Amino acid sequence: MTQTERTVFVNGDYCLESEAKVSIFDRGFLFADAIYEVTCVIGGKLVDFHSHMARLKRSLGELDMATPLDEAGILAAHRRLVELNGIDEGLIYMQISRGAADRDFTFPAAGTVPTIVMFTQKRPVIESPYPKRGIAVISMPDIRWGRRDIKTVQLLYSSIAKNEASKAGADDAWLVQDGFVTEASSANAYIVTTEGRIVTRALSNDVLHGITRASVLSFAAESGFVFEERSFTLDEAKAAKEAFITSATSFVTAVVRIDDTPIGDGTVGPVSKRLREIYIDRAVGAAI
Ligand code: PDD
């Protein structure tokens, strides 16, 4: 065996990934009736952990879903998985579903025990090749449901979009609704105008309220960058000086091409480069 099996977390137990079991009646499996969080690990520490937990609580609340573990319990489990799997750089995926019940569209009776699973993935984040070369994106219509602010596991369209991007020789897709960019398939989307202003769509039910977005915007403001939270069109993005995305796993990553249009001079621009440095310095510096 070249790679040892990971230890994963399933409903309070730590077990080998080949031994982990979830019911076929789990509502996450049958109805995508589950929410999740992805937290980045750098140097064995959790980046923006408390903010991810705040969003988790909000997602649970919006869906009237219970959690089997409080924040201290989730933190302890995250730390144990990092240690057991020797994660220096990568991520922790955590999913909570409404639990297992015989298949019925109506929510099951109160008292159904939620399912909670967590696993780690090792992957380069700081040393990722993407931020060095910048990514290419294609545009696609945003046909996802109307509550994208809730971090549900209903990710089929995001998966299709990324797959289409890959088939087109690109890295990701930017989703467009009524002519305006909403977000990327699994990241928030930004442009830098010719006047140097950073623009990203305002928070609403149309986009996920990115944790990296919140950190980057607050660090950007402290560092003297000017930003506007407003919608921008695909045409405005194609004419922008720079474009970039943010997420827990990409931090700040420049977008250097949208469809067939190079952005700016088609290379990683100074604003996205600087914001990435600031985010790494501040957020990774404060990881717990
Ligand atoms: N995705 N928008 C969407 C649709 C996302 O799926 C994500 C994150 C983001 C960025 O949010 P944050 O900064 O909190 O990671 C925006 C994660 C990384 C994923 O699904 O793997």
Side-chain angles (χ1 to χ4, degrees), residues 36-38 52 55 91 93 123 144 148 151 155 158 183-188 207-213 246-249:
Y36 76 108
E37 280 297 328
V38 173
H52 283 284
R55 185 173 62 192
L91 61 89
Y93 176 91
R123 69 148 89 167
R144 297 172 300 162
R148 303 161 194 154
K151 200 164 172 61
L155 295 174
S158 291
E183 58 187 334
S185 68
S186 61
N188 291 110
V207 294
L208 187 73
H209 301 189
I211 299 307
T212 321
R213 176 190 184 280
T246 66
S247 74
T249 48

Side-chain angles (χ1 to χ4, degrees), residues 16-258:
L16 292 178
E17 62 185 66
S18 61
E19 288 161 9
K21 285 198 181 72
V22 174
S23 166
I24 66 159
F25 296 109
D26 193 89
R27 289 181 58 89
F29 178 56
L30 296 178
F31 293 106
D33 189 2
I35 53 103
Y36 76 108
E37 280 297 328
V38 173
T39 303
C40 188
V41 180
I42 301 289
K45 292 187 171 171
L46 304 162
V47 181
D48 283 335
F49 178 79
H50 295 300
S51 303
H52 283 284
M53 290 306 101
R55 185 173 62 192
L56 177 85
K57 274 190 205 121
R58 178 177 183 277
S59 294
L60 289 166
E62 292 298 306
L63 295 175
D64 197 18
M65 204 184 275
T67 172
L69 269 186
D70 62 11
E71 185 166 331
I74 293 173
L75 177 58
H78 273 55
R79 285 182 164 153
R80 186 139 177 228
L81 283 184
V82 166
E83 200 187 317
L84 289 171
N85 293 292
I87 306 296
D88 180 53
E89 194 159 320
L91 61 89
I92 299 203
Y93 176 91
M94 171 177 55
Q95 175 171 325
I96 300 175
S97 84
R98 203 179 299 277
D102 199 4
R103 185 172 184 275
D104 186 348
F105 282 78
T106 311
F107 290 173
T112 304
V113 183
T115 303
I116 179 166
V117 301
M118 301 179 206
F119 60 82
T120 54
Q121 286 182 336
K122 279 187 187 170
R123 69 148 89 167
V125 178
I126 291 185
E127 288 310 321
S128 159
Y130 296 110
K132 292 185 187 79
R133 67 161 168 83
I135 61 166
V137 305
I138 58 167
S139 58
M140 283 184 65
D142 194 342
I143 58 164
R144 297 172 300 162
W145 80 323
R147 290 304 306 273
R148 303 161 194 154
D149 56 309
I150 309 174
K151 200 164 172 61
T152 74
V153 302
Q154 198 182 225
L155 295 174
L156 183 55
Y157 190 67
S158 291
S159 181
I160 290 171
K162 221 160 227 177
N163 201 52
E164 288 302 310
S166 170
K167 285 199 290 190
D171 304 292
D172 201 358
W174 273 22
L175 305 177
V176 180
Q177 175 175 290
D178 302 328
F180 293 95
V181 174
T182 52
E183 58 187 334
S185 68
S186 61
N188 291 110
Y190 306 73
I191 57 170
V192 181
T193 66
T194 41
E195 298 80 42
R197 299 167 86 85
I198 299 163
V199 181
T200 192
R201 195 178 177 103
L203 296 180
S204 70
N205 293 352
D206 293 337
V207 294
L208 187 73
H209 301 189
I211 299 307
T212 321
R213 176 190 184 280
S215 292
V216 166
L217 289 185
S218 91
F219 299 150
E222 285 167 31
S223 304
F225 288 97
V226 179
F227 66 83
E228 285 172 35
E229 293 179 86
R230 64 161 172 86
S231 298
F232 58 88
T233 64
L234 193 60
D235 286 343
E236 189 179 5
K238 288 181 181 177
K241 213 158 133 191
E242 291 184 42
F244 62 92
I245 57 165
T246 66
S247 74
T249 48
S250 65
F251 287 178
V252 177
T253 296
V255 171
V256 294
R257 181 163 58 88
I258 302 177

